[in-house]
Amino acid sequence: MQMEKHSEIFNEIDDIVHPKSVAIVGDSPKGRLYWLKSIVESGFKGTIYPVNPNVDSALGLKFYKSLLDVPGDVDLVIVRVPAAVVPDVVKESVAKKAKAVVVFSSGFSEKDEEGAELEKKLVQIVKGTRTRIIGPNCMGIYCPESKISFRPDTSTEPGPVGFISQSGGHAINFSIAGRAIGFRFSKVFSYGNACDLDSSDFLEYLAEDEKTKVIGMYIEGTKNGERLVRALKKAAETKPVVVWKGGRSEAGARAAASHTGSLAGSTEIWNAVFKQTGVVPVRGFEELLDTISVFVFCPSTTSRNVGLVSISGGSSVSNTDFCVEEGLNVPELSQEIKDRIGEFVQKMGTSVKNPLDLAGSYNYPGVLENVLGIVGEDRRIGSIILEVQVHYTSLIEKLNGTPVSSIIYGGMLEGCKKVRDESNKPVLVILPRTHYEKELARVRKLFINEGFPIFPSVSSAARALHKAIQYYEQKRVRESY
Amino acid sequence: MQMEKHSEIFNEIDDIVHPKSVAIVGDSPKGRLYWLKSIVESGFKGTIYPVNPNVDSALGLKFYKSLLDVPGDVDLVIVRVPAAVVPDVVKESVAKKAKAVVVFSSGFSEKDEEGAELEKKLVQIVKGTRTRIIGPNCMGIYCPESKISFRPDTSTEPGPVGFISQSGGHAINFSIAGRAIGFRFSKVFSYGNACDLDSSDFLEYLAEDEKTKVIGMYIEGTKNGERLVRALKKAAETKPVVVWKGGRSEAGARAAASHTGSLAGSTEIWNAVFKQTGVVPVRGFEELLDTISVFVFCPSTTSRNVGLVSISGGSSVSNTDFCVEEGLNVPELSQEIKDRIGEFVQKMGTSVKNPLDLAGSYNYPGVLENVLGIVGEDRRIGSIILEVQVHYTSLIEKLNGTPVSSIIYGGMLEGCKKVRDESNKPVLVILPRTHYEKELARVRKLFINEGFPIFPSVSSAARALHKAIQYYEQKRVRESY
């Protein structure tokens, strides 16, 4: 068996995210022991060294007066002390031969000139040493594989999604909201002001990381544009890279300057970079979640032809609009397929051409299981978008007075699985708003547990699907050279 | 006091939506008694006459063999019999001097030539009589004031939102999803193929109806474009009219033809109509809900200047982008206001210029109550967008081990009320996805119960707000002539 040779930066960061010991400097009960609880409750199996001269013990752990008092080796240091004290802690981390220091503290280049000077000092301290800095002004690392996290409530189960975020808030929001729609993560990095390790380093790492199948990214700016372009290009050659650029507007760029001290750069330049590197650009948080959903939960496709399934004619019409406006097609099904579907669907008030308006047949046990499977077999169709309006099924249950919904959703799920697993085509499930909120939550979980992507509207699903199609097309073109 | 004189069509439709008696023809236990249950469970206080020769009684109500057997007057007839039998029922309705027949049955012009002929027959039957037809191929009327509905699970509480929909599905979805975000309805009309009463009639009615403060509309096409233009213009002069056009794409237009038999018309023509008439165009269901939310729950404004409040710097940056890209501004607050806010907010890691990144201060009891109120007082600011990420507050509660969330959300609500009720400015509340789903539902209800509009993302809120601003600007220009 041939050993894969990894780059130096890969090995360096891979060591950082798999620490044997973590020191947390500056946590206190007044600060809610945020970091200590995050590491403890994430189930970290290595040694934890809390450091704070004013605390004796908490959570059953002894606190050390200083990092230098810690008896054993320290691989990773997380720092939450006032900005002015951070240089001392970084010096001690270097003395302890720590692999990295996550500087959570803010008050650096994002604040003022003085803070910028302080930040330069940090860089000088680690220069020429084997200690790297993540931050300052960041949340650092979430790696469920090694049970470390920047929150005590992230999933402890590892998975294929990698995320790199200049914003700590977005790193948290993505980890938490992503968890709600079924994402599991390989590594999430929040890197803030990026005084040492920058987006390009994390990109190169995740590109080489076999555990990471898709990379998401939130970026405001970078100090080394050329290197970022190379890193984006290289990463996009190996796996999908979905990039959300913050600070596109002038006012947003001003906000970025006081957020991470970033020079946001012009939108034109960034758009050119996205095009040239083959990454998938998205405009915001919702698009980021939706687009990564397609990459994570769907087989790849380059077909723009969608089979649209819903319960109502009005939805059929407007869902077709959304698909077409996002660059997809809704072609008529082949005669053979229409005939086969016709056997399961009532004649009156329905339409089985595509879009499929199933009306009353939608909630008839067995119909969707068969219809979805048959549509999936049509060679003209590359993927299926299924709109699930739970209030119709809930009403049937209410009117019948018998629990039919488990049969109906069970059949729906079987149909979706046929399309995905037998026809190897994407199935995108739409769950629009309704006042049957509990039922909506229940049905959402049903689909998420079976690994289907969930979207709030056909329009958002169609946009995400089209972005994935464009990525796979470019990939095919690249690979045909 | 001067009596307002209403138009003939107003009086006609107002009589139809306030029936003293309703006959339901063709309902049966096999059809789940859908219509009978809808009327009964909506709490209709008048007389209900179920008609079906094959049923003796159900729900404690006697069934009649034919409409002509009904002893008393019949104001409104709802028909669910096979298409071929509908003409006979309409004839009987005319004989009973019914004010209107809602034809739920499909199989008319949306189906084929034969169906189109049958539909013409219906029109001939009522011609010259005082009986009007709604439909065929429609859901008819939902009017909580008179306790009639096309669903047994719509809210029975009346309110300011009127809706006109060519699609029965969208009429249902809007009534159900709107209810979930706090809408209450004056009248909702689903009119399907519009063989007799058309969108223009319902528009003229809702324009004159004092109970209706804002009109939503889903339309696929019309047989009388000139009259629709006049009706849209007149309605938009009296109140906001938010219009969603289905069948914009070629494939969508084809679907519309098999849905309601509509000729969808070109997008260019429709766009010109929207511009010329001063209505507010929206692209889909989500935009419809969001835009109507602003009209229903916010004071009017023509200021594009938004105060953006969130817990994180990353959100501040990207939320600013969304606002600017939707046509709004995020101006820096005045020095006086910034100074006043500074008294409540920690210095480190926050930014109070606008966008406001409150970081840890966000969840400090009392902070948001004061900060929101003060931002609302800034004369440079026309409205506030508040992003509520429940997972931060939930985590504070978890870390503290004490129930602080009621204090935090209570303060937030007080702050929002100050802005809306004392400064008379819109407050838009954003509740993004999270895996704290129960808490999200709870917090959503808190804000909805206090009459605040809820949005899934800043981008959707900003778009809706901008659409409302454009409407109010046009209105001001019109009124200044």
Side-chain angles (χ1 to χ4, degrees), chain A residues 94-374:
Chain A
V94 170
K96 291 292 290 179
K97 296 204 174 72
K99 283 163 184 146
V101 189
V102 169
V103 183
F104 169 67
S105 317
S106 54
F108 293 89
S109 62
E110 87 285 0
K111 189 166 165 257
D112 51 22
E113 278 297 311
E114 203 182 323
E117 283 306 311
L118 207 58
E119 192 170 307
K120 276 184 198 155
K121 218 164 160 182
L122 303 185
V123 182
Q124 279 156 8
I125 293 166
V126 298
K127 205 171 181 183
T129 76
R130 290 169 64 187
T131 302
R132 306 300 303 257
I133 297 174
I134 302 179
N137 185 26
C138 77
M139 297 303 298
I141 305 161
Y142 163 39
C143 175
E145 194 183 46
S146 59
K147 309 289 180 211
I148 57 173
S149 181
F150 43 57
R151 290 266 297 197
D153 57 353
T154 41
S155 170
T156 55
E157 198 185 321
V161 181
F163 188 55
I164 305 170
S165 176
Q166 195 150 8
S167 153
H170 286 321
I172 290 171
N173 298 341
F174 187 74
S175 306
I176 298 285
R179 179 182 181 178
I181 54 170
F183 293 177
R184 292 299 175 265
F185 298 90
S186 57
K187 285 96 190 172
V188 177
F189 298 99
S190 148
Y191 63 90
N193 299 7
C195 78
D196 180 23
L197 286 175
D198 197 357
S199 49
S200 305
D201 299 301
F202 300 114
L203 255 177
E204 287 184 28
Y205 171 69
L206 291 183
E208 283 185 52
D209 179 36
E210 280 178 16
K211 309 278 172 64
T212 303
K213 305 296 179 198
V214 50
I215 302 172
M217 191 168 180
Y218 171 80
I219 185 165
E220 294 180 354
T222 181
K223 292 176 189 83
N224 190 339
E226 272 179 50
R227 192 171 156 223
L228 178 64
V229 170
R230 279 199 307 277
L232 285 169
K233 193 156 190 272
K234 205 175 148 196
E237 275 167 15
T238 62
K239 54 194 80 170
V241 181
V242 183
V243 183
W244 167 22
K245 168 69 178 73
R248 290 186 299 266
S249 62
E250 210 179 300
R254 264 202 312 278
S258 47
H259 176 225
T260 53
S262 289
L263 292 172
S266 86
T267 305
E268 291 70 31
I269 290 176
W270 282 96
N271 286 344
V273 166
F274 296 151
K275 203 157 184 190
Q276 176 193 342
T277 54
V279 302
V280 181
V282 292
R283 273 192 64 234
F285 188 68
E286 298 290 311
E287 272 187 33
L288 181 74
L289 287 173
D290 293 336
T291 307
I292 290 186
S293 281
V294 177
F295 284 118
V296 171
F297 298 119
C298 295
S300 72
T301 182
T302 53
S303 163
R304 284 179 165 72
N305 291 348
V306 175
L308 260 178
V309 181
S310 79
I311 193 173
S312 116
S315 290
S316 288
V317 172
S318 44
N319 291 344
T320 301
D321 286 341
F322 297 138
C323 286
V324 172
E325 286 169 357
E326 296 297 343
L328 304 172
N329 312 316
V330 186
E332 191 161 340
L333 300 178
S334 68
Q335 194 56 51
E336 183 227 332
I337 295 288
K338 281 190 290 187
D339 291 344
R340 286 174 60 198
I341 294 171
E343 287 172 32
F344 293 95
V345 174
Q346 66 191 29
K347 298 280 170 283
M348 204 56 77
T350 59
S351 178
V352 299
K353 293 177 197 167
N354 192 28
L356 284 89
D357 161 14
L358 298 182
S361 296
Y362 183 95
N363 278 311
Y364 201 82
V367 168
L368 269 179
E369 177 173 354
N370 285 293
V371 169
L372 288 167
I374 297 168

Side-chain angles (χ1 to χ4, degrees), chain B residues 16-31:
Chain B
I16 292 171
V17 299
H18 295 102
K20 290 192 186 66
S21 55
V22 177
I24 294 159
V25 183
D27 227 10
S28 69
K30 204 191 145 201

Side-chain angles (χ1 to χ4, degrees), chain A residues 310-315 357 359-360 362-364 387-400 404-405 408-409 412 432-436 439, chain B residues 32 34 104 139 150-153 167-176 285:
Chain A
S310 79
I311 193 173
S312 116
S315 290
D357 161 14
Y362 183 95
N363 278 311
Y364 201 82
E387 189 183 49
V388 182
Q389 296 275 15
V390 300
H391 47 262
Y392 288 98
T393 307
S394 295
L395 185 64
I396 296 288
E397 188 156 291
K398 185 183 153 99
L399 292 173
N400 281 8
V404 291
S405 78
I408 293 170
Y409 292 117
M412 230 181 252
R433 300 185 222 182
T434 173
H435 87 260
Y436 289 88
E439 185 66 357
Chain B
R32 301 191 182 95
Y34 179 92
F104 169 68
M139 297 303 299
F150 42 58
R151 289 265 297 197
D153 57 354
S167 152
H170 286 320
I172 290 170
N173 298 340
F174 187 74
S175 306
I176 298 283
F285 188 67

Side-chain angles (χ1 to χ4, degrees), chain A residues 314 317-318, chain B residues 163-167 170 191 216-220 244 246:
Chain A
V317 172
S318 44
Chain B
F163 188 56
I164 305 169
S165 176
Q166 194 150 8
S167 152
H170 286 320
Y191 64 89
M217 191 170 181
Y218 171 80
I219 186 167
E220 293 180 354
W244 167 23

